Amino acid sequence: NAPNPAAQNVSPAPPPTNPAGPPPSTPTTNTSQSIESGEMVRAPGSPARTAIPERVSSNISRQYFFLHDDNYFALQANGSWPPRVKFQVSFRFEMLSFGDSPNVAVNFSYTQKSFWDLFAFDRSSPFIENDYRPELFVSIRPDEKVRYREIQIGVQHESNGLGDNGVVNQTDNSRSWNYVFADARWGFTRDDPRKAWFYLTPGLRAWIPFGFEATDNAGYDLRKYEGYVAGILDLDLRIPDHPNFGRLSARFTVRQHNQQADVFYPFYGKVRCWLFGQFFHGQAERLITVADEVSAIYVGLGFQ
């Protein structure tokens, strides 16, 4: 059989080449591989919303979306029956960041505190009040990875979202105010953290209101009840080398016209929330009833 000349002149097909990286349907989740300098990465808890392969980092310095103030869902234990629900959602997003030591960043945060008659089924479980608190601020940390040592300078707006929308006029219950603030926290470390029983992070927050009339539509001067300064103390207690005995995390806040204590105690195992308790005494728990002095105890679940 003579060879076919045409067949001899045909070059063999090159082997198929694999595209760089994983296929589009398999996002990268290996956090042990190095991250190129300057690459944007998701925090570990972020959802994978696309099939684009993205590196995910567990490095705390690469996280830019996290909880801000206390987050909880609780029932009022010393009020009328059925109990009223109080919950708060608070998060923070670090939009821009410059440097490692020191680190300067531009942040946006949003906090919503709500009071809900959840069990008033005969009245369609109405929300009593929602207070909204967006903030824009610059943060300065001596070390980017040390988040318990930070100075914040920014502006905040707080409102209950009521007013005249052209259909319903709720102007009499409308409350809002703005202020510029400075906030500083400085946590103390221990020489051997494994043997430490407690950790302290004191803080101070001061503010100056601006951009609103001396009194709101109901005749209340919010500055009279909100004050101008607050002292904050975060305290964490744990038994060294015995984590199963639990860890107590508490925040104490003293303002000019009220005092508040938030306490967290973790569940163990696969439950990712905490037992939560709060004690509030004084004025300005809610914007609508800012002048009322209340003493309230709440019990529920916290999220840290």
Side-chain angles (χ1 to χ4, degrees), residues 44-203:
S46 300
R49 298 193 179 278
T50 72
I52 299 174
E54 294 178 293
R55 297 178 186 268
V56 179
S57 173
S58 60
N59 189 338
I60 189 172
S61 66
R62 294 282 184 168
Q63 299 180 22
Y64 47 85
F65 183 87
F66 43 92
L67 300 183
H68 182 51
D69 205 344
D70 285 342
N71 287 256
Y72 55 84
F73 186 95
L75 307 178
Q76 185 173 353
N78 66 332
S80 59
W81 189 263
R84 176 170 292 174
V85 169
K86 178 182 180 181
F87 68 87
Q88 180 168 285
V89 178
S90 182
F91 62 86
R92 168 178 165 181
F93 183 74
E94 196 168 275
M95 299 185 294
L96 293 172
S97 183
F98 308 94
D100 296 325
S101 298
N103 173 260
V104 179
V106 179
N107 303 260
F108 170 79
S109 70
Y110 174 79
T111 302
Q112 177 179 325
K113 180 171 60 177
S114 297
F115 298 83
W116 186 13
D117 276 351
L118 170 63
F119 302 104
F121 302 121
D122 59 328
R123 295 184 286 115
S124 189
S125 302
F127 277 88
I128 302 302
E129 184 171 352
N130 297 301
D131 294 335
Y132 312 99
R133 196 171 76 232
E135 300 174 61
L136 183 67
F137 59 92
V138 174
S139 62
I140 305 171
R141 293 193 297 274
D143 189 316
E144 181 184 18
K145 298 180 182 180
V146 180
R147 309 204 76 94
Y148 51 83
R149 292 179 176 175
E150 183 176 77
I151 296 173
Q152 301 174 4
I153 300 174
V155 61
Q156 175 178 292
H157 170 78
E158 185 173 15
S159 170
N160 60 5
L162 300 179
D164 186 357
N165 61 8
V167 178
V168 178
N169 189 347
Q170 297 176 305
T171 304
D172 288 343
N173 288 326
S174 176
R175 306 283 189 276
S176 67
W177 66 314
N178 312 294
Y179 61 78
V180 293
F181 69 88
D183 190 306
R185 310 288 172 87
W186 192 267
F188 293 96
T189 59
R190 298 292 182 267
D191 293 335
D192 189 350
R194 294 171 298 179
K195 297 182 180 180
W197 281 75
F198 63 94
Y199 299 83
L200 292 174
T201 303

Side-chain angles (χ1 to χ4, degrees), residues 31 38 99 139 182 221 251 304:
T31 59
S139 62
D221 186 347
R251 167 169 289 185
Q304 284 195 335

Side-chain angles (χ1 to χ4, degrees), residues 281-295:
H281 174 75
Q283 297 173 313
E285 185 186 24
R286 296 165 45 195
L287 288 181
I288 291 181
T289 58
V290 65
D292 294 351
E293 184 170 307
V294 300
S295 294

